[in-house]
Each structure stands twice: as C-alpha cells, then as structure tokens.
Amino acid sequence: AQSVTQLGSHVSVSEGALVLLRCNYSSSVPPYLFWYVQYPNQGLQLLLKYTSAATLVKGINGFEAEFKKSETSFHLTKPSAHMSDAAEYFCAVRNSGNTPLVFGKGTRLSVIA
Amino acid sequence: GAVVSQHPSRVICKSGTSVKIECRSLDFQATTMFWYRQFPKKSLMLMATSNEGSKATYEQGVEKDKFLINHASLTLSTLTVTSAHPEDSSFYICSAKPSATDTQYFGPGTRLTVL
C-alpha cells in the first residue's frame, strides 16, 4: 500500500526566505510523485511531478523537488518565498496505470512580509 | 490545455433533497475520473473511481447508494448526493486523467452545504 507523510501541517517563512516542504512516501513499486497547490476555496493545481525521469524536477512558480530513493523523500523547495505562495500544498503518490492518487495531509504555507 | 470544470461551484440545499455535481474534462477525453471529498483543513479523501461505461469503484466506507456516480461519456462524470444530510456538507473535488498521461487534473471543487 502506498502512503504519504508530510512533516509539518503548517510552515511559516519570511518573504524572500527559502521554502522547504517535506514529503516522505512509501510504495512497494517505483512511484509517481506529485506536488499540488490549493488556494482557498479552489481546486488543486499541479506544481510538478516525478515520473522516473530526472530526479530533480522543476515545476511552475519557481518550485522544484528532488526525488531521493534512499530517503524515500520528495521534498518541495523554492529559493525565495513570495507572498503569493501562501497556500496549502499537497504531496501525492501513485503507481502507474489508472490507480488513484494518495494524498498527504497537506502543509499550509504562510509567508510573512 | 487539460482543463477540468465542475458545476455548480457552490450549492446550498435542504436536508433530504438530492444534489447533482457535474465534472467535465473540457479539452481532453478521460476514461477515468476520480471523486474526492475534502473536509475543512483536511486532506483529500478518495471517494470513488469512475470509469467510462462501467460501474464506479467505491472506496471502503463510502456508501454507493448515497453517492451515485455516473460516467456516461468520456468527458462527463456526475456525482449525485442522495437524501443529503448536514454531515454531507463538504468540498467535493473531481479529477480526470487523460488516457495517455500520468497526471490527474483537478476541477475547482464544489462547496456543498446542507441545511
């Protein structure tokens, strides 16, 4: 069975500071990994995904994530936080095919001016 | 590309009535769509997997007679909450996966409030 653990339900950073949102997964087969962002009262928007190609994945809005198999991690980073980055971030995993995504509990990112 | 819409975005209904939520893939065909429920400040909980032309697969604990799912075409899936009660109030989100890709695209969600 697959599962995702997001460490920290709430992360607060200053504007311009590094953003680091942690995600660890468990999967019995090579996983597909995703990060989604959700703004208030909206659906989910795909930030980036890992599908067994390059381990460092670049996404939209300056975010990137690195797949580390040895650590079973897929942490999301951004060098410099912007006020508009404040949102809920979800890490998700699934196997190949039509299996559904399994989501972590989410991390709320606050950006302080 | 890869836009998923949901209608309505918000709905308020009386207890005991039924509500239908539509999920459409606007610019691609989706043999598989998923329905999620999100409680306040909680993660998304998968309710069911909807396959075009066949019965939906429900997750454990989800009442299939209460949450009716129909996936009649490659671009439309509907979720009907039957005999709604206040505890059904939630944010319902659908997603659709193009056949040849690994990515699920999410709709904007539907806020259901049952009075």
Side-chain angles (χ1 to χ4, degrees):
Chain A
Q2 307 160 87
S3 67
V4 174
T5 301
Q6 289 184 242
L7 296 176
S9 59
H10 183 206
V11 171
S12 184
V13 301
S14 298
E15 190 174 20
L18 171 72
V19 175
L20 171 61
L21 304 181
R22 299 178 186 275
C23 172
N24 289 87
Y25 70 91
S26 67
S27 177
S28 57
V29 298
Y32 292 86
L33 293 158
F34 304 79
W35 275 100
Y36 286 87
V37 60
Q38 184 181 34
Y39 297 100
N41 295 314
Q42 294 186 28
L44 277 70
Q45 181 181 1
L46 178 67
L47 275 178
L48 50 81
K49 63 179 179 179
Y50 166 77
T51 56
S52 75
T55 56
L56 181 62
V57 181
K58 294 186 183 298
I60 62 172
N61 301 339
F63 284 94
E64 62 181 38
E66 185 173 7
F67 172 67
K68 292 187 177 180
K69 184 178 179 180
S70 61
E71 299 178 7
T72 60
S73 69
F74 191 58
H75 302 331
L76 181 70
T77 61
K78 181 173 180 177
S80 176
H82 193 273
M83 297 298 287
S84 61
D85 294 327
E88 190 85 18
Y89 291 80
F90 292 96
C91 182
V93 64
R94 72 170 181 85
N95 297 330
S96 59
N98 286 331
T99 56
L101 288 168
V102 174
F103 285 88
K105 293 186 176 181
T107 298
R108 183 163 60 90
L109 175 66
S110 298
V111 181
I112 304 168
Chain B
V3 177
V4 177
S5 70
Q6 279 185 243
H7 177 79
S9 57
R10 289 178 178 271
V11 57
I12 300 173
C13 69
K14 293 182 178 180
S15 185
T17 61
S18 294
V19 174
K20 180 185 284 188
I21 303 171
E22 293 186 348
C23 176
R24 293 182 185 272
S25 56
L26 298 185
D27 49 5
F28 65 95
Q29 292 184 333
T31 54
T32 303
M33 292 184 173
F34 304 92
W35 286 96
Y36 293 84
R37 182 173 178 176
Q38 187 178 32
F39 295 96
K41 299 184 179 180
K42 297 288 186 181
S43 186
L44 282 78
M45 182 193 77
L46 178 68
M47 298 175 66
T49 301
S50 170
N51 295 299
E52 187 267 337
S54 64
K55 291 183 178 181
T57 302
Y58 290 82
E59 295 300 299
Q60 191 173 11
V62 178
E63 299 177 61
K64 62 181 180 181
D65 294 330
K66 180 169 186 59
F67 298 99
L68 301 178
I69 291 173
N70 184 286
H71 193 158
S73 76
L74 289 172
T75 59
L76 173 64
S77 176
T78 60
L79 168 68
T80 302
V81 183
T82 62
S83 187
H85 290 282
E87 57 265 30
D88 298 325
S89 298
S90 194
F91 196 50
Y92 292 88
I93 304 176
C94 76
S95 70
K97 192 183 82 67
S99 304
T101 73
D102 305 310
T103 303
Q104 286 180 223
Y105 296 94
F106 286 80
T110 296
R111 173 78 58 193
L112 170 63
T113 303
V114 184
L115 302 177

